[in-house]
Amino acid sequence: MKIVMMAAAAALMAGPAMAQESPETLVLPGATLAPDCGNLYGLAGRAFCVSAPLAGIGALADAYIADLRTKGWLPAGGEDNRVVFVRRRDGGGCDGLQMQAFYDTSRPAGPDAIGYLGFGPIPGNVCSDQPTPLPTPAPAQ
């Protein structure tokens, strides 16, 4: 599994986006609550994490995507091992949430190795009710 840990992983901090539910209700079948996030990437105490054998982490991610859809979160983008979700706010704008799949790259990545899914809000309004203005074209030369 290719791992992409970017600066955005720092945004995987626990907060209002998932704080509405107790951790036990967020652990889907096949997952184990991992409050230490595997002691990887400084996420302990900053992200909500679950673990599962690496061989099943893809299916578990799919289950979380389906579960989050039932709660109004829509996949809006992402890249390898990361999905960004958005959910409209009642008063306008959107909340953002990301799910990041990762594992301990210092250990062998066999099917029985432990993989993790980390969840956290993206700060601020991730979609705006105002369109982004187009850049002014450069004058012709």
Side-chain angles (χ1 to χ4, degrees), residues 2-90:
K2 180 179 175 190
I3 183 69
V4 178
M5 289 305 292
M6 68 308 282
L12 278 174
M13 294 182 270
M18 295 200 59
Q20 299 161 354
E21 297 185 47
S22 69
E24 295 77 23
T25 66
L26 297 172
V27 179
L28 296 182
T32 301
L33 185 61
D36 66 354
C37 297
N39 291 315
L40 298 167
Y41 307 108
L43 296 176
R46 298 175 44 203
F48 170 80
C49 294
V50 295
S51 65
L54 202 52
I57 208 76
L60 185 60
D62 290 341
Y64 270 100
I65 292 168
D67 184 63
L68 287 166
R69 280 181 179 263
T70 69
K71 296 172 181 164
W73 291 99
L74 300 174
E79 53 197 36
D80 291 342
N81 301 327
R82 183 174 70 103
V83 179
V84 175
F85 299 90
V86 296
R87 179 171 65 184
R88 287 267 178 213
R89 295 176 182 162
D90 290 337

Side-chain angles (χ1 to χ4, degrees), residues 114-135:
I114 299 297
Y116 298 89
L117 294 176
F119 300 85
I122 301 169
N125 180 6
V126 297
C127 59
S128 174
D129 293 335
Q130 301 297 319
T132 303
L134 295 174

